[in-house]
Amino acid sequence: MKAFTIKNTKSLLITIAVVLLINIASNYFFRRFDLTKDHRYTLSPTTLSIIKEIKNPLSIKVYLQGNDLPAEFRRLQLESKQLLEEFQAYNSNIIIEYIDPLENKEENMDKIKTLYQKGLTPINITVDDKGKQSQSMVFPWAIAVYNNKEVNIPLLKNIMGTNTTEKVIGSIQHLEYSISDGINKISKGKQKKVAIIKGNGELEERYIAKFLLQVRESYFIGPFTLDSVAKNPTGALKSLQNYDLAVIAKPTEAFTDEEKMVLDQFIIKGGKTLWLIDQVNAEMDSLYNPTGATLAFPKDLNLNDLFFKYGIRINPDLVKDEQGSPIKLASGEQGSATTYQDFNWKFAPQVYPISVHPIVKNLGGIKFDFANAIDTLKNGIKKTVLLQSSPYSKKIGTPVEINLNIVSEQTSPADYQNKGNIPMAVLLEGSFQSMFSNRVLPFDDASFSNTGKPNKMIVISDGDLIKNQMDKTGQPVELGYDQRSGNLYDNKDFMMNCVNYLLDDTGLINIRSKDLDLPLLDREKVYENYTFTQFLTIGVPFLILLVFGIGFTFLRKKIYSR
């Protein structure tokens, strides 16, 4: 008996020693294991580098809480919680708090009002439980606070044309990006500079206000007017070179050779450019007149030779696509009998990316408006078509009359045979050649270069893609939101991906394009086999425990009865 006691004591001491050694070693060798098939909880290197920069307490308040959340949102809630725990595991400075804004009914309205003022808009969803429908309010948001700076983190991504389940799946795929991007905005100081080119009839600031606000969260931003080129071209070029990216949004006036040389040398010397160019004069507002028609005609911006040298050509054609955007038009007799119907407007292509490039991967529909066709030319520059029209599209030459009556025209697939898939947004990468090589220079520049260092630019053949609409009070609405149809397109995400990629913030884009395998229960099958499903999920585990308990009791009696 004494020997047995000594042996047990030794075993106990050895076990305690091993546990202590494992705990001590774990402090020096930190490792987490992700056993999921798609490694959804394995944080990307970009995310880990962002987390490591957190030196002070960072508070994250999650408002996606409540006992009455629909099943899909409970899944989003669980995935958010598990992912945030991963963030917290790598940095103890991250403090997470879960708040149910609807918990106290007496304080509900005050809380909702406060959150709404911060930009955290709730969503009302219809819950369908075995045929019984009810309304539920959800706050799919989180707020991160760091060093007195605050940022809203959206947990639900609004994907146009999808049901709640599909939105939740898409949102889960974007969770790591949303959280990492939010933390990055408040923890990392601004470094890169973005110039908004002015002086050639570009879009007014109020029409790109939502784009500017989004860019300003991560980068320095400022207007740069090319008017100064006429008086001091070398000084203008030197000033522009202080920026990392130039955005040229829908110019309407022709560029002079001096202005083109400033932009050309900015590119040759490593400056990134984002071009949004219309080669045709055509505006949607001009159609709303008594005739319902307008004339679309070519626009000369004096940029053709510049783009040709870089390897593309924007044609003065309009893209007409059967995969158009909805438009509401009056029908019936005028007066009280007038009704409004949705029609397919084919000159506003609704583009769903097919490219796997990180800029467009996992994006939803992107709305164009009177877009032009882009031709790619062979010149040693790598071209990647980011966005293109559907197979059922074609080019319409200009000048041409555009009439609202075309919504009633009848077409067939034969009308688009071998005409579709027209490029409308192209990424160019490589060492660009100056268009002024072997030419008389518009102005003397001692630092002129013929060949540039490796660079990249994006050319989009529609200036309206960056344009936000204005509401009745003159305030800008969300970029990508179409007031005529009520649809929200992914224009903002696409534009921000373009900016991030051009400024070499490719890590965040790669997080956005992460693929996850998210199997969900088929609700219809569950309803059809509701009783059997309950038995499988509740009854079977209970039976297993019962059998195990009876067997364990029987064996215990049998052993100790001897």
Side-chain angles (χ1 to χ4, degrees), residues 336-542:
S336 59
T338 301
T339 59
Y340 289 88
Q341 289 183 298
D342 283 334
F343 293 92
N344 182 28
W345 183 242
K346 301 175 185 178
F347 285 106
Q350 193 177 142
V351 177
Y352 288 86
I354 60 175
S355 171
V356 294
H357 194 279
I359 293 178
V360 294
K361 189 176 180 182
N362 288 336
L363 286 184
I366 298 167
K367 182 179 179 292
F368 284 75
D369 210 359
F370 293 114
N372 314 134
I374 298 179
D375 292 337
T376 56
L377 313 171
K378 293 183 179 180
N379 67 339
I381 298 294
K382 178 184 176 183
K383 289 100 177 173
T384 304
V385 176
L386 300 175
L387 298 174
Q388 62 185 21
S389 62
S390 77
Y392 299 105
S393 59
K394 62 182 178 181
K395 305 173 188 177
I396 303 295
T398 57
V400 65
E401 182 187 74
I402 305 296
N403 197 305
L404 289 174
N405 291 330
I406 67 168
V407 297
S408 60
E409 71 174 359
Q410 299 296 320
T411 58
S412 66
D415 297 329
Y416 300 97
Q417 192 170 4
N418 301 321
K419 295 179 181 179
N421 299 322
I422 304 166
M424 297 187 292
V426 179
L427 166 67
L428 294 86
E429 298 174 289
S431 298
F432 296 100
Q433 297 287 326
S434 172
M435 70 156 285
F436 293 97
S437 298
N438 303 318
R439 290 177 55 179
V440 177
L441 301 182
F443 61 86
D444 293 331
D445 180 16
S447 63
F448 177 83
S449 300
N450 286 311
T451 305
K453 60 180 80 171
N455 202 351
K456 47 195 174 185
M457 71 170 66
I458 294 175
V459 180
I460 303 168
S461 61
D462 179 21
D464 292 314
L465 194 138
I466 196 176
K467 181 179 178 181
N468 55 252
Q469 297 178 6
M470 310 295 292
D471 63 18
K472 294 179 180 179
T473 64
Q475 296 299 312
V477 301
E478 188 60 73
L479 176 57
Y481 180 68
D482 180 21
Q483 295 181 98
R484 298 186 181 97
S485 63
N487 291 334
L488 179 62
Y489 299 90
D490 261 359
N491 292 40
K492 184 176 75 171
D493 285 348
F494 171 67
M495 292 306 306
M496 287 309 303
N497 281 359
C498 289
V499 172
N500 290 339
Y501 185 84
L502 290 173
L503 292 177
D504 297 319
D505 288 344
T506 53
L508 284 172
I509 299 177
N510 289 330
I511 299 175
R512 183 193 287 271
S513 59
K514 186 176 181 179
D515 288 320
L516 299 179
D517 183 19
L518 299 168
L520 293 175
L521 291 175
D522 188 326
R523 184 175 294 180
E524 296 300 324
K525 288 185 178 179
V526 171
Y527 287 165
E528 290 174 5
N529 304 281
Y530 197 77
T531 304
F532 181 69
T533 304
Q534 282 186 318
F535 175 73
L536 283 178
T537 56
I538 300 174
V540 171
F542 179 77

Side-chain angles (χ1 to χ4, degrees), residues 126-141:
T126 302
V127 182
D128 189 350
D129 185 11
K130 295 189 293 181
K132 297 179 180 179
Q133 292 188 343
S134 61
Q135 291 292 321
S136 178
M137 181 182 290
V138 177
F139 279 87
W141 293 91

Side-chain angles (χ1 to χ4, degrees), residues 12-29:
L12 179 62
L13 291 174
I14 292 172
T15 302
I16 293 173
V18 170
V19 171
L20 287 173
L21 285 173
I22 292 174
N23 275 277
I24 293 170
S26 65
N27 291 325
Y28 297 95
F29 302 98

Side-chain angles (χ1 to χ4, degrees), residues 283-334:
E283 299 294 336
M284 197 66 202
D285 291 340
S286 62
L287 285 167
Y288 293 105
N289 58 60
T291 64
T294 187
L295 180 66
F297 55 92
K299 181 190 299 181
D300 183 14
L301 297 174
N302 194 28
L303 291 174
N304 292 340
D305 50 354
L306 187 76
F307 289 136
F308 188 86
K309 188 68 176 181
Y310 297 156
I312 64 161
R313 177 172 50 234
I314 304 177
N315 298 306
D317 302 325
L318 292 176
V319 177
K320 186 179 180 182
D321 197 332
E322 287 293 323
Q323 189 172 278
S325 302
I327 182 176
K328 288 186 182 295
L329 296 176
S331 60
E333 298 180 2
Q334 293 185 352

Side-chain angles (χ1 to χ4, degrees), residues 103-131:
E103 183 178 14
N104 191 334
K105 293 184 179 180
E106 295 180 358
E107 300 176 1
N108 275 356
M109 293 310 298
D110 291 336
K111 283 186 178 180
I112 292 173
K113 185 177 179 180
T114 302
L115 294 176
Y116 191 85
Q117 289 173 345
K118 289 186 175 183
L120 277 65
T121 53
I123 60 170
N124 291 307
I125 55 175
T126 302
V127 182
D128 189 350
D129 185 11
K130 295 189 293 181

